[in-house]
Amino acid sequence: MEILNQKLNYNYDALADVLYIYVVNFSEGEEAIELNPNMYLTIDEEAIPSAIEILDASKILETTKFSLKRIQKIHLKISINKNDIRVNCSLKIPVHNNELLKSTNDTIINDLNLPELEAKLVMT
């Protein structure tokens, strides 16, 4: 299955330092999959990705909390095959008068037997 052109939005809680990126008009997530101790992928009842949550986001993305409140662009690519789940999240954030690209990449074993999927999601 391929999912394209889904719109993303985000919420950033600076006090908790949690970045929540979600598909606009998504159905409530059914299960959160730990990609690493600071990153979770939420899937809905049909095993379609609906959100990413990044804990300690300013540390993981090596940027300031102020910058994370002003994200300009998000690209999220999720690939699921019979062996693994891969998530690439890239953010364009303002720092002073420049734009920086920050990203995180994670891969885990698909031990949940999720169906194959390619998702390319963008917030512009």
Side-chain angles (χ1 to χ4, degrees), residues 31 33 81-85 108-114:
E31 184 170 358
I33 301 167
N81 63 42
K82 66 180 182 176
N83 298 317
D84 55 38
I85 301 168
I108 62 167
I109 296 171
N110 184 4
D111 55 3
L112 297 173
N113 296 317
L114 296 176

Side-chain angles (χ1 to χ4, degrees), residues 23-30 42-46 48-51:
V23 176
V24 175
N25 299 324
F26 74 99
S27 57
E28 283 296 318
E30 289 288 312
T42 302
I43 58 172
D44 68 12
E45 63 279 345
E46 296 175 9
I48 301 203
S50 58

Side-chain angles (χ1 to χ4, degrees), residues 79-108:
S79 300
I80 302 173
N81 63 42
K82 66 180 182 176
N83 298 317
D84 55 38
I85 301 168
R86 297 172 190 253
V87 177
N88 173 278
C89 181
S90 298
L91 310 171
K92 187 184 285 188
I93 57 172
V95 176
H96 303 293
N97 291 327
N98 297 316
E99 295 176 345
L100 292 180
L101 186 62
K102 297 290 184 173
S103 65
T104 182
N105 297 296
D106 289 282
T107 302
I108 62 167

Side-chain angles (χ1 to χ4, degrees), residues 6-106:
Q6 292 290 321
K7 294 192 179 189
L8 294 176
N9 206 343
Y10 76 97
N11 290 321
Y12 177 64
D13 180 339
L15 187 60
D17 197 17
V18 175
L19 177 61
Y20 186 69
I21 302 168
Y22 58 94
V23 176
V24 175
N25 299 324
F26 74 99
S27 57
E28 283 296 318
E30 289 288 312
E31 184 170 358
I33 301 167
E34 183 177 340
L35 300 171
N36 68 47
N38 289 37
M39 192 169 181
Y40 294 85
L41 171 66
T42 302
I43 58 172
D44 68 12
E45 63 279 345
E46 296 175 9
I48 301 203
S50 58
I52 293 282
E53 185 174 35
I54 303 173
L55 310 176
D56 295 324
S58 64
K59 293 175 186 155
I60 299 300
L61 296 165
E62 299 176 343
T63 192
T64 65
K65 292 179 179 184
F66 181 74
S67 292
L68 289 174
K69 290 181 181 180
R70 301 171 44 223
I71 296 172
Q72 296 174 332
K73 190 176 247 186
I74 300 172
H75 285 266
L76 185 59
K77 181 178 178 187
I78 301 166
S79 300
I80 302 173
N81 63 42
K82 66 180 182 176
N83 298 317
D84 55 38
I85 301 168
R86 297 172 190 253
V87 177
N88 173 278
C89 181
S90 298
L91 310 171
K92 187 184 285 188
I93 57 172
V95 176
H96 303 293
N97 291 327
N98 297 316
E99 295 176 345
L100 292 180
L101 186 62
K102 297 290 184 173
S103 65
T104 182
N105 297 296
D106 289 282

